[in-house]
Amino acid sequence: MTRTFELKKDRTALVIVDMQNDFVRKDGAMRVDEAFATIEPIQKLIRFARENNIIVVFTRFLSGPVQTHLWKWSPETEASKNCRRNHKRYYSDIDKTLECADVVDELKPILPEDYVIDKYGYSSFRNTNLADVLASEGRDTIIVAGTVTQICVADTVHDAFHLSINAVVASDCVSSFSELQQKAILENVAHKYGMVLTSEEIIEKFS
């Protein structure tokens, strides 16, 4: 059974999860090969959002120099300084040295009304002010895009559910390093946590 809810422009936020240099660019310490292909549909959603009073929120996964619980499960964080604050890396696909944790230039927040949420774990809600941002803007629905589908995207959707926030996952705007896990998570979201639609279907649902 597919469950649906009404999408209202003035009640919705677009949340772009962790589309950062270290996850998207070639030579990124935690590169997700499929992430680059999601840039274009995410750009389309950003344009639609900005034209239609839908707030845009970017999240950034960060790591620090001191070992935390997260390092046990993501040892790359220590070994490669993945998404380390104030750490730069050379990315050969664009021949630039950039901040590892920054959102990729193709999507980078450029407007003063854009929000950037920094997090030190998987969920965009856990120990962040995202719920407060949404409440302050009168938003009770989020469109979720970004990476990694079964980790940070999934945790964000699960926490949204438990906060009574409607979630829509843009299926062509999320990416994973596992086709199997990508499919399983999207099916599970559609079954119990929210809607799963393509970017085009999302835009049409507002019309």
Side-chain angles (χ1 to χ4, degrees):
M1 178 181 177
T2 301
R3 297 162 179 83
T4 63
F5 46 83
E6 185 179 3
L7 293 180
K8 298 180 180 179
K9 295 173 182 176
D10 62 349
R11 303 289 298 178
T12 302
L14 172 60
V15 179
I16 301 163
V17 178
D18 302 355
M19 288 295 285
Q20 299 161 257
N21 291 318
D22 256 359
F23 288 111
V24 180
R25 302 249 77 101
K26 186 178 180 182
D27 308 310
M30 295 277 283
R31 184 171 185 254
V32 179
D33 289 344
E34 304 301 322
F36 189 83
T38 67
I39 289 176
E40 187 174 346
I42 292 174
Q43 288 173 327
K44 179 171 57 179
L45 280 181
I46 292 173
R47 286 194 297 270
F48 178 80
R50 287 177 172 156
E51 292 168 359
N52 288 278
N53 190 35
I54 296 171
I55 67 169
V56 182
V57 179
F58 298 85
T59 75
R60 301 192 311 167
F61 173 84
L62 298 181
S63 65
V66 177
Q67 184 174 8
T68 64
H69 180 71
L70 180 71
W71 286 20
K72 298 175 185 177
W73 305 101
S74 294
E76 305 90 342
T77 300
E78 178 181 12
S80 60
K81 299 183 178 179
N82 172 48
C83 292
R84 182 75 54 88
R85 289 182 69 250
N86 303 317
H87 183 70
K88 294 185 178 182
R89 197 183 314 280
Y90 174 75
Y91 301 99
S92 60
D93 57 320
I94 52 173
D95 192 26
K96 288 182 180 179
T97 298
L98 301 171
E99 291 283 345
C100 298
D102 276 359
V103 176
V104 293
D105 287 347
E106 294 93 330
L107 302 174
K108 211 162 192 174
I110 57 172
L111 299 181
E113 56 265 37
D114 291 339
Y115 286 94
V116 178
I117 304 289
D118 286 340
K119 60 193 182 72
Y120 286 83
Y122 302 140
S123 171
S124 301
F125 287 98
R126 192 66 55 90
N127 296 326
T128 77
N129 66 342
L130 178 55
D132 293 322
V133 166
L134 297 177
S136 74
E137 293 275 3
R139 313 290 163 143
D140 58 11
T141 300
I142 58 173
I143 299 166
V144 185
T147 202
V148 176
T149 305
Q150 72 271 18
I151 305 173
C152 295
V153 169
D155 269 16
T156 296
V157 171
H158 294 160
D159 278 356
F161 174 86
H162 293 298
L163 291 166
S164 299
I165 295 169
N166 292 321
V168 186
V169 176
S171 58
D172 56 332
C173 298
V174 293
S175 56
S176 171
F177 44 77
S178 165
E179 183 178 349
L180 177 64
Q181 292 190 68
Q182 170 96 345
K183 184 175 184 291
I185 288 297
L186 293 181
E187 287 183 357
N188 194 47
V189 168
H191 183 56
K192 285 292 183 183
Y193 292 96
M195 291 194 293
V196 177
L197 302 168
T198 67
S199 55
E200 285 291 344
E201 289 171 336
I202 290 169
I203 291 170
E204 290 173 3
K205 203 165 177 63
F206 281 104
S207 300

